[in-house]
Amino acid sequence: MAGTAGEPAAGAAGSGAEAGGKPERSVRTVMFALMIAMLLAMLDNMIVGTAMPTIVGELGGLEHLSWVVTSYTLATAASTPIWGKLGDLYGRKGVFLLSIVVFLIGSVTSGMAQDMGQLIGFRAVQGLGAGGLMVGVMAIIGDLVPPRERGRYQGMMAGIMAVAMIGGPLVGGTITDHLGWRWSFYINLPLGAVALAMVTAVLHLPRKPRSTARIDYLGAALLTVGITAVVLVTTWGGTEYAWTSAVIMELSAIGAASLVGFLFVEARAAEPIVPLHIFRSRNFSLMAVIGFFTGFVMFGAVLFLPLFQQSVQGASATNSGLLLLPMLGAMLVVSMVAGRITTSTGRYRLFPIAGSALMITGLFLLSTMDTGTSRVTSGVYMAVLGAGMGFLMQITMLVAQNSVEMKDMGVASSSATLFRTLGSSFGVAVMGALFTGRVQDEMAARGAAEATAGSAQLDAASLARLPDALREAYESAVASGTHAAFLVGGSVAVVALAASFFVKEVPLRGAGPAEPPSPAGDGTPGKVTERV
């Protein structure tokens, strides 16, 4: 796969045996180092979420609790495109190592926080680093492994996600109980040190000539303001403030104006943060849409399934994480199978269609759950949803990267990641608002609104203290709330299915030399030499 802008597709690590230079084992060594870095970003929120009740108990500031998550999410989303562009301009390895260092600095300072205000600020620093971790991993993989061969490594990435989702709550609870909540941040240090050492030692990319291009500071500022406003609207709307309140209206106006201004600036910038020409590729634009709705669905499911299992099915917090195994296991297996088929055949168009259809089916099945649904039945429903996400999670990134030139690999990876992040933000906000409203309405209709006064979510201890009649009413209300949340998730996922039918089967770049995608706007490579 030919490189551009002075940075070929593979460095000393090569792209494995298929590149003809290095054995596949060397690529797996690099991938292992990258997966550790990916684990840092994915595991952190899962661990910290478990520790939050203890953190609030020590630091106080319950009214600012949501900002511990929001500050991290905002910083991650806003910095994601900037990290991608910096990697394109100045070389991926150095920028990636810098993002790890920033993340570790945020981890150390978060663990040392003395009040909630400090923790929120340091979590923002941590989020800045996290924005570069995921993008760096995806862009480096895009450099090292041709799209045609990338499918064989999808199982590793899906496996890391499963480890983070299942192991995060378990590790977080154990650390908090035995070492204290501060170690939920300090645990990142040994992992980060291993990632730094391994990436430095085994990742060898050709040195990029120092770029003389000026960073698009105005575009970066407008994008940051726009994304921040959008995330705040989805986070606060319907919870902190009414959707029609002045605050939400003002934030919406600021976000819209900033994003319009951003598009205007990017169309004229010499080195735009997000080159608009990448959206001329039909496949890239479709992957952005599909990625958005995949994020919308996935993070909503991860949020509400454990809640249903704890509140309705009586699972403990720890067991509710383990009960996600059907979804995560199906996602892992399907992702591996899809990757192998893609590598063997070079074909992938069927996967977004099948994945979207299964995702919709799984969500509508989950929306039928009630107080009588068994764990086995809900497990089957979760497996259907997981299979759908397994088809979509890595294929969307692979097709997006295959649709751009090598010089745009970083911004393509960061843009695809950004759309998925924004989708998750919208998903949690919309599904959360529907869930909360339905629970409160159901409890009010049963004359038991006082049971959820101030919150639609009761922990296991609070639920156990309720009288039997009140507990049954709450269980029924939670089942009704999850019905509404999953129903809307399945409805919006129809857009992803519709978009998937328009994906064009463009040959994946193989291990041989390849021309950049044609300017036709569909991502079609000019000449492709594939060797399997």
Side-chain angles (χ1 to χ4, degrees):
M1 184 164 56
T4 59
E7 187 173 5
S15 60
E18 57 273 9
K22 293 289 180 181
E24 184 178 336
R25 183 171 52 198
S26 65
V27 180
R28 291 192 177 275
T29 302
V30 175
M31 288 290 291
F32 181 71
L34 295 177
M35 292 305 102
I36 293 176
M38 180 182 286
L39 185 63
L40 273 176
M42 300 191 70
L43 194 62
D44 183 75
N45 265 338
M46 299 293 178
I47 292 178
V48 172
T50 308
M52 283 311 301
T54 305
I55 294 174
V56 172
E58 181 173 328
L59 298 183
L62 178 61
E63 66 276 14
H64 303 303
L65 175 63
S66 63
W67 273 103
V68 176
V69 177
T70 302
S71 63
Y72 181 93
T73 304
L74 277 174
T76 300
S79 65
T80 292
I82 299 172
W83 284 111
K85 186 61 179 181
L86 290 174
D88 286 341
L89 288 176
Y90 301 111
R92 238 162 298 278
K93 180 177 179 178
V95 171
F96 182 56
L97 291 173
L98 177 61
S99 70
I100 296 177
V101 171
V102 172
F103 183 86
L104 294 181
I105 291 173
S107 298
V108 171
T109 51
S110 294
M112 298 170 62
Q114 299 301 308
D115 57 49
M116 191 61 77
Q118 290 182 12
L119 180 60
I120 290 169
F122 295 143
R123 281 282 284 168
V125 175
Q126 203 179 15
L128 287 175
L133 289 177
M134 292 295 291
V135 172
V137 168
M138 294 300 177
I140 290 171
I141 292 173
D143 279 351
L144 289 177
V145 185
R148 178 67 180 266
E149 313 300 335
R150 208 171 297 156
R152 69 180 63 187
Y153 301 104
Q154 287 183 19
M156 295 178 68
M157 290 180 273
I160 288 295
M161 181 176 294
V163 168
M165 289 182 176
I166 296 173
L170 299 176
V171 173
T174 302
I175 290 175
T176 302
D177 289 342
H178 295 90
L179 298 176
W181 67 265
R182 297 183 187 276
W183 278 95
S184 63
F185 296 104
Y186 295 152
I187 191 64
N188 292 325
L189 296 180
L191 277 175
V194 171
L196 279 173
M198 289 194 67
V199 170
T200 301
V202 304
L203 178 61
H204 303 291
L205 296 172
R207 186 181 300 275
K208 287 181 69 73
R210 184 168 182 81
S211 175
T212 58
R214 296 186 60 184
I215 296 176
D216 179 19
Y217 292 108
L218 179 57
L222 288 170
L223 181 62
T224 300
V225 172
I227 290 175
T228 299
V230 168
V231 173
L232 287 179
V233 166
T234 57
T235 303
W236 285 350
T239 54
E240 297 286 331
Y241 303 95
W243 286 106
T244 56
S245 66
V247 172
I248 298 301
M249 292 293 101
E250 289 170 2
L251 282 172
S252 300
I254 291 171
S258 298
L259 293 177
V260 170
F262 169 74
L263 294 176
F264 181 83
V265 170
E266 296 304 276
R268 291 158 178 78
E271 281 291 345
I273 292 294
V274 179
L276 300 184
H277 67 79
I278 63 177
F279 292 97
R280 294 174 189 163
S281 165
R282 182 172 74 184
N283 275 4
F284 181 87
S285 297
L286 290 171
M287 289 305 112
V289 171
I290 294 172
F292 178 91
F293 288 104
T294 301
F296 188 108
V297 167
M298 186 183 74
F299 285 91
V302 170
L303 174 65
F304 292 107
L305 282 172
L307 182 59
F308 177 86
Q309 291 163 339
Q310 292 177 49
S311 300
V312 179
Q313 295 181 328
S316 66
T318 299
N319 286 340
S320 66
L322 295 176
L323 289 173
L324 290 176
L325 273 174
M327 182 179 75
L328 299 174
M331 185 171 67
L332 174 61
V333 171
V334 170
S335 180
M336 292 176 65
V337 171
R340 291 291 180 179
I341 294 174
T342 301
T343 298
S344 300
T345 66
R347 297 187 176 277
Y348 54 83
R349 183 175 179 270
L350 178 63
F351 298 143
I353 297 173
S356 300
L358 284 171
M359 188 167 66
I360 293 169
T361 303
L363 286 165
F364 280 117
L365 287 173
L366 289 170
S367 74
T368 65
M369 295 190 304
D370 55 27
T371 55
T373 303
S374 68
R375 293 183 181 180
V376 173
T377 301
S378 61
V380 172
Y381 295 168
M382 283 189 283
V384 175
L385 176 61
M389 292 191 296
F391 278 123
L392 293 171
M393 286 302 297
Q394 304 305 328
I395 288 292
T396 51
M397 180 64 72
L398 185 153
V399 177
Q401 291 178 335
N402 189 63
S403 302
V404 301
E405 299 179 44
M406 283 299 299
K407 67 183 179 65
D408 292 323
M409 185 66 69
V411 292
S413 302
S414 63
S415 297
T417 303
L418 175 62
F419 277 97
R420 186 176 296 175
T421 301
L422 291 177
S424 68
S425 178
F426 274 90
V428 169
V430 173
M431 294 171 75
L434 284 170
F435 171 84
T436 301
R438 181 63 68 89
V439 169
Q440 292 175 343
D441 289 346
E442 286 285 320
M443 294 299 286
R446 292 169 177 263
E450 68 277 4
T452 54
S455 174
Q457 301 178 25
L458 299 179
D459 57 28
S462 300
L463 192 59
R465 290 193 294 267
L466 294 177
D468 290 345
L470 203 55
R471 185 171 62 252
E472 290 175 4
Y474 180 71
E475 290 174 355
S476 178
V478 169
S480 178
T482 53
H483 167 78
F486 287 125
L487 195 61
V488 74
S491 299
V492 300
V494 172
V495 179
L497 178 61
S500 65
F501 280 104
F502 293 95
V503 174
K504 185 177 181 180
E505 188 86 80
V506 177
L508 294 174
R509 291 192 291 264
E515 294 295 326
S518 74
D522 59 6
T524 307
K527 294 180 181 179
V528 180
T529 303
E530 296 177 342
R531 184 157 57 88
V532 181

